[in-house]
Amino acid sequence: RRSPSVGAPSPPRLVLLLDGFDKLVTSAGAADLTWLPQRFPDCVAVIITSTECTVAEVLAKRGSKRIELELLAESSKRTLLQRHLASRGKSLDEELEYQLASASQCGSPRFLRTILNEICVSVAHEQLAETVKVLLTSAPSTAALFRAVVQRMEQDYDGSSGVVRWAFCLLWASRGGLRVHEELRPLLQRRGIEDFDVLLLVAEDEGLVSDTQGRLRLSNTDVREGVRLHFMPEEAQEREVHSLLAAFFETSARSSVVEPDLQ
């Protein structure tokens, strides 16, 4: 395209959307954003999404323009919940729809999606009203809601093995995630846990974990905080899990050293 004023070609406009920068907090050396240019050409617009975290503070110090997303309006909440439930072949009566749409927590899309998923996967029809009431009352934040989700999964899948507890705690303690077969599996085997494949499939389907470049990690900061609140409310419990992880990698590092061939 040519500029009408000078007749020279206008540079193409480019918009870069960089999503989920809050996840960089758990990646060593990435959260300081030294790798991200501080200035871009005039023809490039960069949009970065992040929750409130270290990365957001770095961007603020750079003078980046900040736009906070507003909570969903009640009409938008009704539309989203109806569409989401319809995609699962489900619906709610008008009273339950009103309770969800009028709840302030459901103004967060993540909270609304999570509570709807919980309704779909874990609630019998005759228990719907009571479950919605309990979740809205006991979960004032998205992190608290994920705590309830993790607690329900523990009841559904743990038995006596502790697989939910240890899988989520180890993922919480890992900075950049864990490779399933090389790291998470042997870590769980040290706790006597062999079977966890079904749990991982369910956790990924419910949005609790995600696979990033071959590493499994907790999906977002709200899930991380929910796991911490449920399994590690005391610092001593956090230190225990960090110690287990550190001991594993220290042993792995020693075993990977190749002895020189002295023959």
Side-chain angles (χ1 to χ4, degrees):
R1 193 177 64 184
R2 294 185 175 275
S3 169
S5 57
V6 282
S10 299
R13 295 287 296 171
L14 177 65
V15 177
L16 296 179
L17 176 59
L18 308 177
D19 189 28
F21 260 41
D22 47 294
K23 293 183 179 180
L24 295 176
V25 174
T26 57
S27 300
D32 55 14
L33 302 185
T34 54
W35 52 273
L36 183 71
Q38 297 205 24
R39 294 184 178 276
F40 288 86
D42 292 339
C43 60
V44 178
V46 181
I47 301 173
I48 296 172
T49 70
S50 173
T51 58
E52 193 65 54
C53 62
T54 304
V55 173
E57 294 173 3
V58 173
L59 290 170
K61 290 179 181 178
R62 289 189 177 191
S64 301
K65 182 179 179 181
R66 179 186 176 114
I67 300 176
E68 293 194 19
L69 296 181
E70 297 181 357
L71 296 178
L72 296 171
E74 185 170 327
S75 58
S76 298
K77 286 186 276 187
R78 279 184 178 273
T79 299
L80 287 176
L81 73 85
Q82 289 170 356
R83 289 179 179 176
H84 187 82
L85 291 174
S87 70
R88 301 287 191 95
K90 296 181 180 292
S91 63
L92 296 176
D93 62 37
E94 188 172 342
E95 174 59 27
L96 287 178
E97 271 194 15
Y98 172 77
Q99 289 183 33
L100 289 169
S102 60
S104 59
Q105 310 99 297
C106 291
S108 161
R110 181 179 290 170
F111 187 102
L112 181 58
R113 178 179 182 273
T114 303
I115 196 171
L116 292 176
N117 284 344
E118 196 66 0
I119 289 171
C120 289
V121 303
S122 65
V123 182
H125 181 75
E126 58 273 15
Q127 299 172 323
L128 269 176
E130 181 61 23
T131 300
V132 169
K133 178 181 177 180
V134 169
L135 288 174
L136 291 177
T137 302
S138 62
S141 67
T142 307
L145 180 59
F146 276 119
R147 178 185 185 179
V149 173
V150 171
Q151 183 177 18
R152 187 264 304 165
M153 292 186 71
E154 186 180 27
Q155 294 168 351
D156 289 348
Y157 298 101
D158 240 11
S160 59
S161 69
V163 59
V164 174
R165 172 186 178 85
W166 288 108
F168 279 118
C169 285
L170 289 166
L171 290 173
W172 174 90
S174 62
R175 182 180 292 274
L178 295 171
R179 291 174 292 178
V180 174
H181 298 293
E182 299 89 341
E183 295 167 349
L184 183 57
R185 186 179 295 278
L187 276 163
L188 291 175
Q189 287 173 337
R190 290 187 175 195
R191 311 298 305 181
I193 299 169
E194 295 288 343
D195 186 9
F196 64 96
D197 294 330
V198 172
L199 169 65
L200 295 187
L201 287 173
V202 172
E204 190 164 5
D205 182 62
E206 295 189 24
L208 299 178
V209 300
S210 58
D211 189 318
T212 304
Q213 297 181 331
R215 290 182 175 273
L216 201 67
R217 63 196 301 175
L218 298 181
S219 294
N220 55 65
T221 53
D222 288 320
V223 175
R224 286 182 57 79
E225 181 62 7
V227 168
R228 189 196 67 78
L229 287 170
H230 183 59
F231 292 120
M232 298 165 289
E234 305 293 335
E235 286 189 18
Q237 295 164 315
E238 295 182 21
R239 289 196 295 270
E240 179 188 7
V241 180
H242 278 126
S243 296
L244 289 172
L245 208 58
F248 171 79
F249 284 112
E250 183 179 353
T251 303
S252 299
R254 286 201 302 267
S255 63
S256 65
V257 174
V258 179
E259 296 292 335
D261 187 355
L262 301 180
Q263 295 182 352

